[in-house]
Amino acid sequence: MTIEWRYTSEQGLGILSVAGYLGPDAVHRFGGAVGWVIARGSGPIILDLTELRSWSAEGQLAITEAAHRLAGAGRSLALAAIPADGSLVPHGDCPDIPVHCDLAAALAAHARRPSDPEKGLQAWRTDGWPASSASPLTD
């Protein structure tokens, strides 16, 4: 079992949305998504876990490793809608990872509102991501 992901970027804010189960089999794919984010954007990243069914200890570790990678690129990571079955407990040397109850709260913390989709919005997704899902920056 693996994950699907979608990355949306606009005006210095990125949202990496993940769906499925972030377990040992999906860690490599998640790391690839983080690499994609680092290569194609700037500014803070919100990791939207609204569609994530669950995660394993390896999945949680992958998220803390993503925070380190992003910090190394001068970017921060915040989480939105962590799975109900656990909480993220980062290592002591991990960058601060704010956790928000949902994507709307995370966007509000970054003072973001839905915007005009014609103004600089970029989005990428895996083939398995539902095509009908709207971008969180334009909802």
Side-chain angles (χ1 to χ4, degrees), residues 21-132:
Y21 173 67
L22 185 53
D25 295 340
V27 167
H28 182 71
R29 186 171 183 143
F30 177 73
V34 171
W36 185 271
V37 165
I38 290 171
R40 288 174 176 74
S42 63
I45 296 296
I46 297 171
L47 181 58
D48 176 19
L49 303 174
T50 302
E51 299 296 324
L52 192 69
R53 289 190 309 273
S54 186
W55 55 12
S56 68
E58 295 88 352
Q60 291 182 22
L61 181 58
I63 290 173
T64 61
E65 289 172 3
H68 279 286
R69 287 177 67 191
L70 287 162
R75 301 174 75 181
S76 62
L77 178 68
L79 304 181
I82 64 172
D85 65 344
S87 62
L88 184 68
V89 182
H91 298 294
D93 66 340
C94 187
D96 183 39
I97 305 174
V99 177
H100 304 280
C101 62
D102 58 23
L103 183 57
L107 289 169
H110 288 280
R112 298 293 301 191
R113 300 213 178 359
S115 63
D116 182 347
E118 300 296 319
K119 292 187 178 177
L121 178 71
Q122 296 182 302
W124 300 267
R125 62 182 171 82
T126 54
D127 290 340
W129 190 269
S132 63

